[in-house]
């Protein structure tokens, strides 16, 4: 299965914008890109989903370049409560299986 | 709206013992997923059901793992016999249908195999 990679960790301060990138160079042609947030001892929680270009909702934006080989989750003005692990989820182009990324641990400091 | 329910939340067993996990998805959700999440890693899909039929079980170690979803609602995942490397959190998720739709996850069952 193709690997879906993310930076292991990121640090930020409250009020800053955070951008987390996921590399998925073998994404399935017709598949969406979905991002989840996970707190300790909880299951992942949906943040945002997109297919191409840019998607924005009340908590985040998702940027997807034309080749769709990567995506960037943007969290505007993070707070302490945004400290969590963030995962991207895509379908593999060869097997069409759902693959979670390696996860990025975001630590927000006051 | 009630979320995805899982039980037990924690389980400790010795290797070669058997264990079963239960999941009750959100009402009306046709698709149910079981994931294995090893500490420090992203969830790995074990099996996906659409109603009571299996869509994908290619990453399920079928020599020791089994899962069923009778009547297309609740589901159980069983491990028999357990190995040390099965220690992980087992997550159940559901979605209204398969494909690109948002998955709703339960809190997971943390399994420790000694």
């Amino acid at each position: 299965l193709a690997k879906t990679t993310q930076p292991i960790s990121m640090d930020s301060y409250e009020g800053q914008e955070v951008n987390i990138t996921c590399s998925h160079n073998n994404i399935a042609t017709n598949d969406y890109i979905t991002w989840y947030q996970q707190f300790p001892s909880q299951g992942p929680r949906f943040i945002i989903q997109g297919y191409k270009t840019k998607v924005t909702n009340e908590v985040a934006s998702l940027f997807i370049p034309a080749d769709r080989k990567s995506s960037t989750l943007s969290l505007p003005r993070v707070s302490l409560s945004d400290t969590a692990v963030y995962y991207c989820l895509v379908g593999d182009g060869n097997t069409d299986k759902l693959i979670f990324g390696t996860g990025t641990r975001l630590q927000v400091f006051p | 709206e009630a979320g995805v329910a899982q039980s037990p939340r924690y389980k400790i067993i010795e290797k070669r013992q058997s264990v079963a996990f239960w999941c009750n998805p959100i009402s009306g959700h046709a698709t149910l997923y079981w994931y294995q999440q090893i500490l420090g890693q992203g969830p790995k899909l074990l099996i996906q059901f659409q109603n009571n039929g299996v869509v994908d079980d290619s990453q399920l170690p079928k020599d020791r793992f089994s899962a069923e979803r009778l009547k297309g609602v609740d589901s159980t995942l069983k491990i028999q016999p357990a190995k040390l490397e099965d220690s992980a959190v087992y997550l159940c998720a559901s979605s209204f249908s398969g494909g690109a739709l948002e998955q709703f996850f339960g809190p997971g069952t943390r399994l420790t195999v000694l």
Side-chain angles (χ1 to χ4, degrees), chain A residues 8-27:
Chain A
I8 293 175
S9 63
M10 298 182 71
D11 292 338
S12 183
Y13 291 94
E14 283 191 292
Q16 290 189 330
E17 179 185 73
V18 171
N19 296 307
I20 305 173
T21 299
C22 177
S23 172
H24 36 76
N25 54 16
N26 195 39
I27 185 174

Side-chain angles (χ1 to χ4, degrees), chain B residues 3-107:
Chain B
V4 176
Q6 290 188 247
S7 68
R9 290 296 313 276
Y10 305 92
K11 189 74 176 179
I12 301 174
I13 62 173
E14 298 196 348
K15 60 183 179 182
R16 292 187 289 273
Q17 286 188 322
S18 302
V19 64
F21 313 126
W22 174 82
C23 173
N24 180 233
I26 292 173
S27 177
H29 280 193
T31 306
L32 185 147
Y33 311 79
W34 282 103
Y35 289 88
Q36 179 192 60
Q37 186 173 27
I38 293 173
L39 185 65
Q41 299 182 17
K44 182 181 84 171
L45 180 66
L46 293 177
I47 189 167
Q48 177 182 343
F49 291 95
Q50 180 75 16
N51 295 308
N52 61 351
V54 176
V55 173
D56 180 6
D57 64 355
S58 57
Q59 299 189 90
L60 186 73
K62 298 181 187 62
D63 58 333
R64 298 184 300 106
F65 286 64
S66 65
E68 61 182 10
R69 191 184 184 197
L70 300 176
K71 302 180 182 178
V73 181
D74 293 7
S75 178
T76 57
L77 176 69
K78 297 179 181 178
I79 307 175
Q80 179 180 11
K83 292 185 175 181
L84 296 177
E85 59 261 36
D86 298 332
S87 293
V89 175
Y90 291 84
L91 294 163
C92 178
S94 70
S95 64
F96 185 73
S97 185
L101 292 181
E102 175 184 352
Q103 296 181 37
F104 294 83
F105 284 81

Side-chain angles (χ1 to χ4, degrees), chain A residues 2-3 7 18 21 24 36 38 43 45 49 51 57-61 73-75 78-79 83 85 87 89 94 97 109:
Chain A
K3 205 164 173 76
V18 171
T21 299
H24 36 76
Y36 287 84
Q38 188 175 30
R45 185 176 69 173
Q49 182 182 76
Y51 182 77
N57 63 19
E58 63 275 11
V59 298
S61 293
L73 172 71
S74 180
L75 303 173
V78 294
S79 64
T83 294
V85 180
Y87 293 98
L89 173 64
N94 292 332
K97 299 189 185 307
F109 295 95

